[in-house]
Amino acid sequence: MNAIAFAIILMLVLLFMKVPVWLSVIAGTASYFFLNPAVTSMILAQRLASSVQGLTLLAVPFFVCAGIFMNSSGVSKRIMDLCELLTGHMWGGLAQVNVMLSTLMGGLSGSNLADAAMEAKLLVPPMERNGMSKAFSSVVTAASAMITPIIPPGIAMILCGSLANVSIGKLFISGIGVGILLCVGEMICVSMIAHKRDYKPTRTQDEKLSGKKVALVIRSAILPMCLPIIIIGGVRLGAFTATEAGAVAVLYSIFLGLFYRELNLEKIIKGLKETVISTAGIMLIIGAASALSWVLTKERIPQTLTELILQISPNKYAFLLLMNVFLLLCGMFLEGNAIMIILVPLLFPIAMEYGINEIQFLMVIIFNVSIGCMTPPMGTLMFVVCNETGCKLKDFIKESVPFFVVLIIELLMLTFIPVLTTGLVTLFG
């Protein structure tokens, strides 16, 4: 037990020191084998290698590659024009466009950090020119980027589904409902703040758009918006698996880039290099997680934790509340992938003992992790956006309070109203 305690402490210390997640987890796991000579270190190598050979995980490089090509193909600008058409008449104007853009781009990019960096450059300057404060513009950008990993095909859903051996296709379906709920909540929050501060719409109710302009905007956005429909529809109809859907997404993104004449050989080669680097990092994390899970299982940590929690939590709702508090605290200090890697294998068996729906449980975890990406002092979204916009951290934190209120309310709704996460899965399952 001393070996496993040292391994976990070492891993957490390295994570707090901002050592890469995969290296922190592997270092902690390797120390267990070093301190426990009775267990052959060959198991560590086997787990690192075998865990990344699953067919399902092929979806990761495909979707990463598709997202990179989409961002290089002029898709973002076309979808932003559609968002402005849909929300430009609302209070908050470009702030509403910001939230809607993240919701629609979530099905294309799959990466919240990439989405946040793109929108910080694309939307924050015009938001400021329209009279909105830098802090408000930055917070809206970070908060809206939280929607990205929840809308399919978010990488977080692929990672969670692999760790818990749960259908990734069902998580994709659930993510649509949860993502729309988050989008609506943030748009209401933006509208309330906009009314209070007089952040006017980008166009008035009386200002009519020409039919020609509407048709042009919709026509430009039709092809990009077909991708999420193709992915989700294809998986649920059985036309292809989640992995094959990733390959389809890559081919479709290349087609769009060539069709719009904005993707050339140089951009394709650069995109493939970025894909290799991003995928390598994700696969190292998954391999490290598998090795850590083996160690935890051997030491009977999940079983011991299950027995302890079953004793102190009278029902599943008490367990979910405790888990939410714990995950929110973890999100303040740890990176999202690290949280999922460490806690999904530990908490999933406990949730099953309580009879909690597996889709609801994993979506609650993903939602918690998304909140953590924006939570000080270590929120990655907060740092990425503030770095791009030049916003002071203290101003960002102060401005983010109303959004955190909305996020906590929606987290409680997902916790106590299972149909919000399982309804679409039941309907289309």
Side-chain angles (χ1 to χ4, degrees), residues 361-428:
F361 175 73
L362 292 180
M363 290 309 300
V364 168
I365 285 186
I366 292 170
F367 199 90
N368 268 294
V369 168
S370 297
I371 295 175
C373 290
M374 186 175 151
T375 309
M378 303 288 287
T380 50
L381 281 175
M382 177 179 67
F383 286 116
V384 167
V385 171
C386 288
N387 182 63
E388 292 288 344
T389 65
C391 178
K392 295 180 180 179
L393 289 179
K394 64 176 183 179
D395 295 335
F396 182 97
I397 294 169
K398 181 180 178 180
E399 192 71 60
S400 64
V401 172
F403 288 89
F404 277 118
V405 172
V406 171
L407 293 172
I408 297 302
I409 290 172
E410 295 197 337
L411 177 60
L412 292 174
M413 290 172 64
L414 296 179
T415 301
F416 291 107
I417 311 175
V419 71
L420 293 176
T421 52
T422 61
L424 287 179
V425 178
T426 304
L427 185 62
F428 294 104

Side-chain angles (χ1 to χ4, degrees), residues 56-174:
T56 304
L57 293 178
L58 275 175
V60 174
F62 285 138
F63 282 124
V64 169
C65 184
I68 291 171
F69 285 158
M70 282 287 179
N71 285 333
S72 304
S73 302
V75 169
S76 303
K77 180 65 171 65
R78 289 172 171 83
I79 296 181
M80 190 181 81
D81 291 340
L82 176 64
C83 294
E84 203 282 329
L85 178 70
L86 295 173
T87 64
H89 63 284
M90 298 180 181
W91 279 86
L94 286 174
Q96 301 284 16
V97 173
N98 199 324
V99 176
M100 181 64 73
L101 180 60
S102 288
T103 305
L104 297 182
M105 284 298 294
L108 304 177
S109 71
S111 168
N112 58 350
L113 295 181
D115 181 73
M118 179 268 295
E119 290 190 17
K121 296 175 183 176
L122 194 65
L123 279 169
V124 171
M127 287 172 71
E128 289 187 74
R129 286 196 295 270
N130 275 263
M132 300 178 195
S133 70
K134 185 186 293 290
F136 175 77
S137 304
S138 300
V139 168
V140 171
T141 301
S144 67
M146 290 173 48
I147 304 172
T148 303
I150 297 172
I151 293 287
I155 302 300
M157 287 183 278
I158 299 174
L159 181 57
C160 265
S162 302
L163 289 170
N165 196 26
V166 171
S167 169
I168 294 173
K170 290 183 177 179
L171 287 174
F172 281 178
I173 292 290
S174 178

